[in-house]
Amino acid sequence: MELITEWTTPLRYKPYHQWSKSYQDMLSSIIQKSDWKLAFHIQPKTGLLNDPNGFSFYNGKWHLFYQAYPFGPVHGVKSWYHMVSDNLVDWEQHDYALLPDSPYDSHGVYSGSAMTVEDKLFLMYTGNVRNEEWERHSYQLGAWMNAEMEVEKITKPLIDSPPAGYTHEFRDPQVFRYQDHYLMIIGAQTENEKGAVLAYQSSNLADWELLGELDYTTEEMGFMVECPNFVLVDGQPVLLFCPQGLDKNISSYQNIYPNMYVIGSSLNKETVSIENTSDLVNLDEGFDVYATQAFHAPDGRVLSVGWVGLPEIDYPTFEEGWAHCLSIVKELSIKENHLYQKPVAEMQELRQHHEVLQGSAQESDTLLSSPDSNVYELKLELNAGTSGSLYLFADKQNEEGLKISFDAKRDTISMDRSKAGIPFGESYGSTRTAALKRQDKLTLHIFADRSVCEVFVNDGYRVITSRVFVKDPQQTHIFLQGFGGDYTGDFWTLREMNE
């Protein structure tokens, strides 16, 4: 049996029950043998993973769903796959929660959100349907999950069509409580092909009233806004969103589509606006983060998780029949009107062998560590004024590897993956650079996991994420080059998540 490499439209929309178990078993066995298989990031059981959905806490457990196409590394007819955790780091594969099996989601269960309501979990999502002319119709649908994790779809659409003046590029509802109502925001496109976010309200989760187009910027938001997500972080409204086709003169970015945020002072339901918003800011300064979803956890934290992958980009794992992963879970906070993201404290539960690092940054290569695999956590603190480069996923000669450069004079940090392994997405560049705020020291908090690297800079002031596909699994060396200044740090090997 061979992997399918030519994906026609009929094949992408072939019903799930028509796929043989032997083909799915083959896909699973390939992933298990892959050098790029992840140790502690959520990746697809088989096939493709994309948007995180329904991130929530219900019945004493953390729940996270992801949009899935289980039969190959392509965007076919989608479903939701369900993951469950006791601690935000060990994620158990549960089962498919929503399948494309109704008249309102026959061509794909698209993205959405979840919210605990009394003793059940309410799911709201977009159903995608195509007619014979292959024209799209979007339905906003609902479902209920009980304590036994059984899911029952609501039989009729909650919103059966977009409002007048908007196309059927109308998807990704996020539902949340606000004051005395439920609110829902959703990505949309005007008939003039301009990106927008619409807001609705409901008193019962069944009947939805359009409030209007959400006002959060005076700029044009490209041709479509995907995955809008509203949270209150330290009392301030934050809107996460993905504007497709955004003019780079409005906000600078290099990825095919950016994942951005704005911070405001308040949400005004009467004017349907987030007031006094900041400029648009990249949520992640790296190569591969998209469709981030956040929610208010019952312990008071605001937690987020993103898709580490991008639409319309070919990744090296496509040749192995699978694609993408989710980021680690992050906690959000605001300082001086800037969004900080840091790894959740629970990540410490993965720590195993520990090394203490200390020395002076030299012009020549300094070997910080040489673990057996690229599955580790690294914390590094450098004196103010230090410039240099950190090399991860490196070979013994430090000729191949992922390069992270920091420049104290310019207060910038950059990531260069041009020599980090198999190249991909090259038309969007191989280097990313972010500005830093001048401070007394530079801190780097890094999570490496075989084929993904997440870098938290200065306590989460910036985050830089990249997929990395080394050609040789022996490329595990970590080197530091510097020009003046001392460093201290900690290195831990990390265990695999318990599934």
Side-chain angles (χ1 to χ4, degrees):
M1 186 176 294
E2 295 184 356
L3 277 176
I4 295 170
T5 56
E6 297 295 326
W7 287 91
T8 62
T9 297
L11 195 56
R12 291 172 189 247
Y13 286 84
K14 179 179 173 180
Y16 280 34
H17 68 271
Q18 292 181 11
W19 288 90
S20 69
K21 183 178 182 300
S22 58
Y23 189 77
Q24 295 177 67
D25 289 345
M26 180 189 71
L27 293 176
S28 180
S29 67
I30 293 173
I31 288 179
Q32 296 305 315
K33 297 173 186 174
S34 174
D35 290 334
W36 300 322
K37 179 180 180 292
L38 300 162
F40 56 88
H41 285 77
I42 292 173
Q43 68 172 61
K45 182 179 178 183
T46 58
L48 177 138
L49 165 157
N50 58 307
D51 302 2
N53 295 148
F55 193 15
S56 52
F57 186 84
Y58 166 67
N59 196 33
K61 292 183 179 292
W62 304 99
H63 297 265
L64 182 55
F65 307 79
Y66 62 80
Q67 210 178 358
Y69 178 68
F71 308 110
V74 296
H75 292 275
V77 59
K78 298 290 182 65
S79 57
W80 277 23
Y81 196 83
H82 187 190
M83 308 290 291
V84 182
S85 177
D86 291 320
N87 62 1
L88 292 170
V89 293
D90 294 301
W91 289 95
E92 174 191 350
Q93 295 182 356
H94 181 64
D95 201 354
Y96 291 96
L98 295 170
L99 290 168
D101 58 5
S102 85
Y104 302 110
D105 58 20
S106 58
H107 289 71
V109 175
Y110 279 27
S111 291
S113 56
M115 179 180 62
T116 301
V117 180
E118 296 177 352
D119 62 346
K120 292 186 177 181
L121 188 69
F122 176 71
L123 312 178
M124 191 169 185
Y125 67 100
T126 298
N128 192 45
V129 176
R130 300 275 189 173
N131 63 18
E132 291 183 359
E133 288 72 41
W134 211 242
E135 296 167 329
R136 181 201 303 273
H137 192 109
S138 297
Y139 297 96
Q140 308 317 314
L141 308 174
W144 293 96
M145 188 178 83
N146 64 21
E148 286 71 43
M149 294 190 284
E150 300 164 333
V151 177
E152 183 177 355
K153 291 180 180 179
I154 298 170
T155 56
K156 292 185 178 180
L158 303 177
I159 302 173
D160 62 8
S161 62
Y166 296 87
T167 74
H168 278 277
E169 300 292 340
F170 177 61
R171 56 182 175 270
D172 312 335
Q174 184 218 359
V175 61
F176 54 96
R177 291 183 184 86
Y178 188 77
Q179 296 175 348
D180 56 348
H181 279 83
Y182 298 107
L183 291 188
M184 184 268 285
I185 59 172
I186 186 168
Q189 179 190 68
T190 70
E191 289 181 344
N192 295 326
E193 296 188 357
K194 303 293 185 184
V197 176
L198 300 181
Y200 287 75
Q201 75 172 7
S202 174
S203 59
N204 58 10
L205 295 173
D207 304 300
W208 290 91
E209 172 195 358
L210 175 66
L211 295 178
E213 192 170 311
L214 182 65
D215 180 9
Y216 61 95
T217 179
T218 58
E219 305 285 3
E220 289 191 356
M221 290 293 98
F223 62 80
M224 174 67 191
V225 175
E226 290 195 312
C227 304
N229 192 222
F230 177 89
V231 283
L232 290 169
V233 181
D234 298 332
Q236 288 186 255
V238 176
L239 182 71
L240 313 177
F241 58 103
C242 299
Q244 295 187 324
L246 180 70
D247 187 332
K248 293 182 180 179
N249 291 318
I250 294 173
S251 189
S252 178
Y253 65 96
Q254 286 181 258
N255 295 345
I256 180 172
Y257 304 127
N259 198 163
M260 297 191 143
Y261 75 85
V262 294
I263 299 175
S265 62
S266 60
L267 174 64
N268 189 324
K269 196 171 71 171
E270 283 65 41
T271 60
V272 199
S273 62
I274 301 174
E275 298 181 330
N276 304 312
T277 51
S278 65
D279 292 335
L280 278 66
V281 184
N282 285 317
L283 188 64
D284 190 290
E285 297 287 356
F287 297 87
D288 298 292
V289 167
Y290 195 72
T292 298
Q293 184 167 98
F295 86 106
H296 300 101
D299 59 13
R301 292 182 294 178
V302 179
L303 304 179
S304 76
V305 63
W307 170 28
V308 185
L310 284 173
E312 302 170 43
I313 303 288
D314 289 343
Y315 285 77
T317 58
F318 284 18
E319 294 186 5
E320 297 182 342
W322 65 281
H324 310 313
C325 66
L326 297 182
S327 73
I328 63 173
V329 178
K330 302 162 189 172
E331 181 180 352
L332 306 183
S333 62
I334 293 176
K335 299 175 188 175
E336 298 177 352
N337 217 41
H338 183 91
L339 188 68
Y340 282 72
Q341 305 168 74
K342 65 180 182 181
V344 289
E346 288 89 340
M347 290 298 297
Q348 297 176 30
E349 296 184 28
L350 298 178
R351 290 175 178 172
Q352 294 190 311
H353 175 69
H354 178 221
E355 291 179 49
V356 176
L357 308 174
Q358 187 170 0
S360 296
Q362 307 293 326
E363 289 187 34
S364 58
D365 291 347
T366 300
L367 180 65
L368 295 185
S369 189
S370 183
D372 292 334
S373 69
N374 289 311
V375 182
Y376 58 80
E377 177 185 357
L378 170 64
K379 296 184 82 170
L380 205 59
E381 182 176 304
L382 299 112
N383 288 356
T386 303
S387 294
S389 297
L390 177 69
Y391 298 86
L392 311 173
F393 297 82
D395 61 10
K396 288 182 180 179
Q397 295 76 32
N398 198 18
E399 294 174 351
E400 296 280 330
L402 181 69
K403 181 179 181 181
I404 300 169
S405 299
F406 38 94
D407 187 330
K409 292 181 180 178
R410 294 182 176 85
D411 291 312
T412 60
I413 189 164
S414 64
M415 178 182 283
D416 182 350
R417 69 177 182 190
S418 61
K419 294 183 179 179
I422 297 174
F424 66 101
E426 293 175 285
S427 59
Y428 299 98
S430 58
T431 303
R432 298 287 186 269
T433 300
L436 299 178
K437 183 177 63 173
R438 182 154 294 189
Q439 58 184 64
D440 295 338
K441 60 187 177 181
L442 172 70
T443 64
L444 302 175
H445 192 179
I446 297 166
F447 290 85
D449 189 359
R450 293 190 183 130
S451 62
V452 64
C453 183
E454 298 185 65
V455 181
F456 298 81
V457 185
N458 290 346
D459 300 316
Y461 179 80
R462 301 287 190 202
V463 184
I464 309 172
T465 303
S466 179
R467 296 303 304 271
V468 181
F469 300 95
V470 296
K471 301 170 187 175
D472 181 355
Q474 302 302 311
Q475 282 183 222
T476 60
H477 297 74
I478 304 169
F479 293 99
L480 178 68
Q481 286 179 359
F483 304 96
D486 297 330
Y487 67 86
T488 58
D490 294 276
F491 175 90
W492 294 269
T493 59
L494 301 180
R495 65 171 174 83
E496 298 206 5
M497 74 160 77
N498 296 317
E499 298 179 302

